[in-house]
Amino acid sequence: QVQLVESGGGLVQPGGSLRLSCAASGFTFSNYAMSWYRQAPGKERELVASITSTGGSTNYADSVKGRFTISRDNAKNTVYLQMNSLKPEDTAMYYCKARWAIVGRSYWGQGTQVTVSS
């Protein structure tokens, strides 16, 4: 069955770094654009970063540009989010999403918690 399993979240001090991973299975990963979203308590889920199916193009929310980097390894069916210079406002549940726009299909992971606090 389709699975997206996020990992790498945790508690980090302001200014620190984390690397999130999202391992995919049960579908043809290389057909799907991948995205990272986040949702803080009491707020709507927001797009953080996205990457095309080939990895040739990326997009970032203004709030994370220059600090976060999305990448993917199609041989490992995994997408990553490198997060540097973390701020308390980056605290949220982080979710990965797979989307194949042509067929209108998308999948979500269960999320991994990131907490930035001293």
Side-chain angles (χ1 to χ4, degrees), residues 73-94:
D73 186 337
N74 284 354
K76 295 183 178 180
N77 290 352
T78 302
V79 62
Y80 306 96
L81 185 68
Q82 178 66 44
M83 305 187 295
N84 299 329
S85 302
L86 283 160
K87 304 175 181 179
E89 51 263 44
D90 294 318
T91 295
M93 185 71 77
Y94 282 71

Side-chain angles (χ1 to χ4, degrees), residues 12-18 63-68 82-90 116:
V12 63
Q13 293 187 340
S17 298
L18 283 174
S63 59
V64 307
K65 279 181 182 176
R67 300 189 297 123
F68 291 11
Q82 178 66 44
M83 305 187 295
N84 299 329
S85 302
L86 283 160
K87 304 175 181 179
E89 51 263 44
D90 294 318
V116 184

Side-chain angles (χ1 to χ4, degrees), residues 11-56:
L11 173 65
V12 63
Q13 293 187 340
S17 298
L18 283 174
R19 189 195 196 201
L20 306 184
S21 299
C22 173
S25 61
F27 63 98
T28 305
F29 181 74
S30 59
N31 285 341
Y32 287 72
M34 298 298 297
S35 301
W36 286 97
Y37 285 74
R38 67 186 181 188
Q39 187 167 20
K43 295 188 176 181
E44 293 187 354
R45 191 172 294 191
E46 63 173 352
L47 176 65
V48 175
S50 60
I51 188 167
T52 55
S53 59
T54 62

